[in-house]
Amino acid sequence: MTTNDLRELFLDLNVKFDEELKKYTNTKTGGKADVLAFPDSIEETKKLIKIAKKNNVPLTILGNASNLIVKDGGIRGLVVILQHLDQITVDGTKVTAQAGASLIGTTRVAAKHSLTGMEFASGIPGSIGGAIFMNAGAYGGEIKNIVESVKLLTRDGEYKTYTVDELDFGYRHSRLQSEDDIVVAATFKLEHGDIKKIRERMEELSFLRASKQPLEYPSCGSVFKRPAGHFTGKLVHDSGLQGYTVGGVQVSKKHAGFIVNIGNGTGKDYLDVIHHVQAVVKEKFDVELETEVRIIGED
């Protein structure tokens, strides 16, 4: 399908053509998307999905493009970034957030209403959709512990809802990783708490994150899952890999679990660093490091 064909299909919608994805990803890497859309509502998202389905246009959902690496060849077909789906509502002890709402922003809304249980996520970058997709967690908390239900769109443009028990949550895992359904909103069940204590805990975690993580550089957050019986950062540190650099991408000198873009890094630079770290850790400690970050697109 040519660019002109795609222009006809998505006429009058909020889309860009042949757009560099590195403008939008947290790593500041990634080639072009044939069509890049920023829907302003769930209904517009549904319309985009149905157009793609009807015309056999490949569809990729990026959420807000945080916990992923897009390869330099970009992504064919339609790419949807859901950052404009950012509505957050509160009803009693329940907080409902659309998929593009930031996880950090959602924790702040919960705190404003004196709701506790979400503090652990106050420093996790990324969107609600991404947090559900990978069961995000930090500082002893996980999304699975607070989710009540998730609203989804199928690739046919139909709605459905999963309860927390139906999502098959595990360590950095949900059933959505093996299905094509798209998160459009999630409802969290929290508890009433002391607003002062909630904010103190959030400030403490924000301080810990800022003091330990390389927030001054673009990155995708933690690159690898924690292997059983080990800490990823220690394995990488003990392998002498902190500071290891390919092109503009480096194993962070501040936190060995992070790989950062120190200047004009590419998707290939990221993959080369990841593969080198995996190989060295395997050789030195016989431990397989599995990536937590999504790696998508064409070489």
Side-chain angles (χ1 to χ4, degrees):
M1 188 171 287
T2 68
T3 300
N4 284 337
D5 292 332
L6 291 170
R7 287 182 188 277
E8 287 295 322
L9 287 178
F10 296 100
L11 197 65
D12 299 328
L13 289 169
N14 183 23
V15 300
K16 299 176 183 289
F17 297 93
D18 293 322
E19 184 76 356
E20 294 278 1
L21 289 167
K22 67 182 180 181
K23 296 179 183 178
Y24 307 97
T25 59
N26 278 22
T27 59
K28 302 304 178 187
T29 64
K32 292 181 178 180
D34 290 341
V35 186
L36 179 60
F38 301 85
D40 290 322
S41 66
I42 294 176
E43 282 304 306
E44 188 177 343
T45 306
K46 183 176 179 178
K47 183 175 182 180
L48 286 162
I49 291 169
K50 286 195 167 186
I51 292 172
K53 174 74 174 180
K54 180 180 179 181
N55 296 279
N56 295 313
V57 176
L59 171 65
T60 303
I61 306 294
L62 295 192
N64 70 356
S66 56
N67 190 237
L68 58 83
I69 295 168
V70 178
K71 297 180 182 179
D72 301 321
I75 302 175
R76 303 289 67 80
L78 171 64
V79 176
V80 178
I81 292 180
L82 297 175
Q83 63 187 25
H84 294 165
L85 297 187
D86 58 359
Q87 183 178 348
I88 303 168
T89 58
V90 178
D91 181 10
T93 59
K94 295 182 181 182
V95 176
T96 299
Q98 291 184 333
S102 78
L103 190 51
I104 293 172
T106 306
T107 67
R108 290 173 179 165
V109 170
K112 183 179 178 181
H113 288 80
S114 301
L115 296 176
T116 185
M118 210 171 193
E119 293 91 328
F120 73 90
S122 60
I124 300 177
S127 66
I128 290 296
I132 297 294
F133 182 85
M134 67 173 293
N135 184 26
Y139 301 109
E142 290 181 293
I143 286 295
K144 71 175 184 179
N145 297 329
I146 57 173
V147 170
E148 181 175 85
S149 62
V150 175
K151 184 177 182 179
L152 306 116
L153 270 173
T154 69
R155 297 288 171 130
D156 293 320
E158 303 300 325
Y159 292 114
K160 70 179 183 182
T161 300
Y162 281 151
T163 64
V164 62
D165 293 333
E166 294 173 310
L167 284 161
D168 189 27
F169 281 126
Y171 174 63
R172 301 299 176 266
H173 170 82
S174 76
R175 70 181 289 178
L176 302 177
Q177 294 174 15
S178 57
E179 299 181 0
D180 288 332
D181 298 329
I182 300 154
V183 176
V184 292
T187 297
F188 302 95
K189 184 71 167 67
L190 305 177
E191 297 178 357
H192 291 296
D194 184 310
I195 190 168
K196 183 179 178 182
K197 291 181 179 178
I198 293 168
R199 286 180 171 165
E200 284 176 351
R201 179 58 175 162
M202 290 172 64
E203 288 172 5
E204 176 189 5
L205 296 182
S206 294
F207 172 78
L208 288 173
R209 177 171 177 262
S211 63
K212 293 181 178 180
Q213 297 180 12
L215 304 182
E216 64 272 26
Y217 292 111
S219 81
C220 53
S222 297
V223 176
F224 303 105
K225 295 180 181 179
R226 187 181 70 245
H230 298 275
F231 291 100
T232 303
K234 180 169 172 50
L235 288 170
V236 176
H237 175 270
D238 291 349
S239 296
L241 290 167
Q242 280 188 273
Y244 176 79
T245 305
V246 174
V249 173
Q250 181 181 83
V251 178
S252 170
K253 296 178 181 179
K254 188 174 184 180
H255 189 308
F258 283 67
I259 297 175
V260 295
N261 189 341
I262 59 173
N264 299 313
T266 66
K268 185 178 185 304
D269 292 343
Y270 256 98
L271 295 182
D272 287 348
V273 171
I274 287 171
H275 294 153
H276 180 74
V277 169
Q278 288 173 318
V280 173
V281 170
K282 173 65 175 174
E283 179 183 357
K284 286 185 175 292
F285 299 103
D286 196 27
V287 175
E288 302 272 1
L289 287 182
E290 182 183 350
T291 52
E292 175 177 308
V293 64
R294 288 175 68 200
I295 300 170
I296 58 176
E298 298 186 354
D299 294 321

